Amino acid sequence: MIPLLRGWTAVQRTAQSNLHLGIMLCFVAGATNAGGFLAVGQYTSHMTGVLSSVADNLVTGQIYLALAGAIALLAFLGGAMTSAWMVNWGLRRKLQSAYGRPLLLEAALLLLFGLFGSGISFFAVLFVPLTVLVLCFIMGLQNAVITKISHAEIRTTHVTGLVTDLGIELGKLFYINRLTRETLVRANRQKLGLLAKLIGSFFVGGLVGAIGFKAIGFITTVPLSILLLLLVWHPLLNDARHWIDPHRP
């Protein structure tokens, strides 16, 4: 399996590698989101809910909760901005790891969360808000990577959009073309399969994350971090070799 992962984060892209990377990142996002909820009691990829909660809390006078939601939203935004900056920086320098570097940062943050997550139980007042921000940052970081790679065709944390697109295509699939027209309503079966795989991968990741966190706790994020490292190690190694020997093809 490891040799197959080599091209999934490479600069030279194919539709198949985009699909494989999207499915893998959906799995990681689902596991992180579900595990994060059990850790801090909040889903960290659902910015629609976060923004709604900010409005609700402002109306009910809970200013501190509204401020916390706004900061979480900014953390997600900051993750997306960081991802775009890192990818563009890498592409300008013709690095093979341009798309992998944000995932390397995500792997490091997940590893940090897994290794030091036990501190949440002892210093909840300090670590819970910080953990929420880190997880929101991770979700924004990851979603921006695959969005940029696939030219906005694939997203990994925004399941609402995926389900909406799935509903649109299913509506086309079951539409009955009773009248003869020049343009018939037809579903994009390839897109249907893509959306189903992405949603299914997120769900399976959520199950794995929830079961893993319940069974072994925060250390569940360590295998996720290792999985991300497997995705990016080959392009990073190529860049390191080229840095050591600039004449290396």
Side-chain angles (χ1 to χ4, degrees):
M1 180 180 178
I2 292 179
L4 295 177
L5 299 177
R6 291 182 177 182
W8 291 10
T9 57
V11 173
Q12 294 77 22
R13 311 294 306 163
T14 64
Q16 196 71 4
S17 61
N18 286 346
L19 173 60
H20 290 156
L21 181 61
I23 291 173
M24 187 67 73
L25 293 184
C26 271
F27 175 85
V28 173
T32 304
N33 204 37
F37 178 80
L38 292 179
V40 297
Q42 179 177 331
Y43 291 116
T44 52
S45 68
H46 187 49
M47 291 302 107
T48 305
V50 169
L51 193 57
S52 296
S53 70
V54 171
D56 290 340
N57 289 323
L58 282 175
V59 171
T60 57
Q62 301 183 74
I63 304 301
Y64 288 111
L65 290 178
L67 181 61
I71 294 174
L73 181 68
L74 289 176
F76 187 97
L77 180 65
M81 291 173 61
T82 301
S83 183
W85 183 86
M86 293 179 75
V87 169
N88 288 318
W89 184 88
L91 291 176
R92 290 287 297 273
R93 285 157 181 77
K94 302 184 185 304
L95 298 178
Q96 290 295 309
S97 59
Y99 292 131
R101 286 170 179 261
L103 299 182
L104 180 65
L105 176 58
E106 179 182 357
L109 291 174
L110 282 175
L111 186 62
L112 187 69
F113 174 58
L115 294 178
F116 297 99
S118 57
I120 294 177
S121 303
F122 299 101
F123 305 100
V125 175
L126 174 64
F127 279 101
V128 168
L130 183 61
T131 301
V132 170
L133 296 184
V134 170
L135 292 177
C136 285
F137 182 87
I138 287 174
M139 292 293 99
L141 187 80
Q142 178 182 299
N143 203 35
V145 172
I146 192 62
T147 300
K148 190 168 181 61
I149 286 177
S150 67
H151 303 290
E153 292 181 0
I154 298 175
R155 300 182 191 276
T156 57
T157 64
H158 189 54
V159 178
T160 303
L162 294 176
V163 175
T164 301
D165 291 342
L166 181 65
I168 291 172
E169 293 303 324
L170 286 174
K172 293 178 182 179
L173 181 66
F174 293 107
Y175 184 85
I176 300 175
N177 292 284
R178 294 184 180 276
L179 301 177
T180 301
R181 301 178 182 176
E182 294 181 1
T183 304
L184 298 177
V185 177
R186 298 185 185 277
N188 186 334
R189 294 178 182 271
Q190 184 176 0
K191 187 175 182 180
L192 266 173
L194 168 65
L195 293 169
K197 289 174 183 176
L198 293 175
I199 295 170
S201 181
F202 189 95
F203 178 71
V204 172
L207 287 176
V208 171
I211 293 172
F213 188 88
K214 188 175 180 180
I216 61 176
F218 295 94
I219 205 72
T220 303
T221 61
V222 174
L224 299 177
S225 180
I226 294 173
L227 182 60
L228 290 172
L229 290 175
L230 291 176
L231 290 173
V232 304
W233 75 271
H234 193 259
L236 285 169
L237 184 61
N238 284 340
D239 286 338
R241 288 172 175 170
H242 183 71
W243 181 75
I244 295 171
D245 182 8
H247 301 292
R248 182 185 181 89

